[in-house]
Amino acid sequence: MTEAQAESQSGAEDQEFEGADDGIDAPEVSVVTIKPGNATNFPTVGQVSSTDLLGSGLGRFHLFDRPASLGQTVRIHYEGKLSDGTEFDSSRKRGRAFEFTLGSGNVIEGLDRAILQMSRGQRAKVSVPPELAYGSVGYPPVIPPNATLIFEVELMSFTM
């Protein structure tokens, strides 16, 4: 992503999440289980307040009923596709799991949100709306503007 795209996207995110209690529904991520995980180990150790989430760029997050731990390192396998089925990225094809820190900005916001809903070993189909992906700018030439992204994600492990 170019610096200009990052600044443009950052500004859009700041506007979107101002006034988290304004009653407007925030875009949500859809997570549909393909293969259940252990339903016990979620990357959710510790408690994060709504203020912490807003400060992290994950404003108006809808899992306040469950503790969340931004800052944990997770390992996932994923395939990313556009809504027309065009694959744009795959850790499986590279033969190496992808590791990143939740809430650090290393991945799109929608992927952070989805992983916080998954348990270790779970494989899920994740649909990320443009507002939680690359928005109206896209990520040319790979991701067009206003693209809904579809991922198949497997949560392999995370730090406790």
Side-chain angles (χ1 to χ4, degrees), residues 20-89:
D21 295 324
D22 60 9
I24 298 172
D25 289 333
E28 295 189 29
V29 174
S30 165
V31 178
V32 177
T33 298
I34 296 170
K35 176 189 147 247
N38 65 11
T40 303
N41 298 97
F42 292 85
T44 54
V45 178
Q47 187 68 39
V48 176
S49 71
S50 59
T51 304
D52 293 336
L53 287 169
L54 289 170
S56 73
L58 290 177
R60 279 200 284 195
F61 196 69
H62 295 290
L63 292 178
F64 292 119
D65 57 332
R66 213 159 86 180
S69 185
L70 302 175
Q72 284 185 301
T73 300
V74 297
R75 281 184 69 234
I76 64 170
H77 261 305
Y78 69 93
E79 291 103 18
K81 296 181 180 182
L82 301 175
S83 55
D84 69 2
T86 304
E87 185 173 277
F88 60 84
D89 196 10

Side-chain angles (χ1 to χ4, degrees), residues 143-157:
I143 311 288
N146 299 312
T148 294
L149 305 181
I150 311 297
F151 292 90
E152 187 172 301
V153 179
E154 179 180 5
L155 178 56
M156 300 173 68
S157 66

Side-chain angles (χ1 to χ4, degrees), residues 7-29 53-55 57-62 108-110 113 128-137 146:
E7 286 178 17
S8 172
Q9 186 174 352
S10 175
E13 288 171 359
D14 290 344
Q15 291 174 353
E16 178 180 336
F17 295 117
E18 279 182 12
D21 295 324
D22 60 9
I24 298 172
D25 289 333
E28 295 189 29
V29 174
L53 287 169
L54 289 170
L58 290 177
R60 279 200 284 195
F61 196 69
H62 295 290
I108 59 173
E109 181 178 345
R113 289 185 182 201
V128 180
E131 300 87 352
L132 299 176
Y134 295 100
S136 61
V137 176
N146 299 312

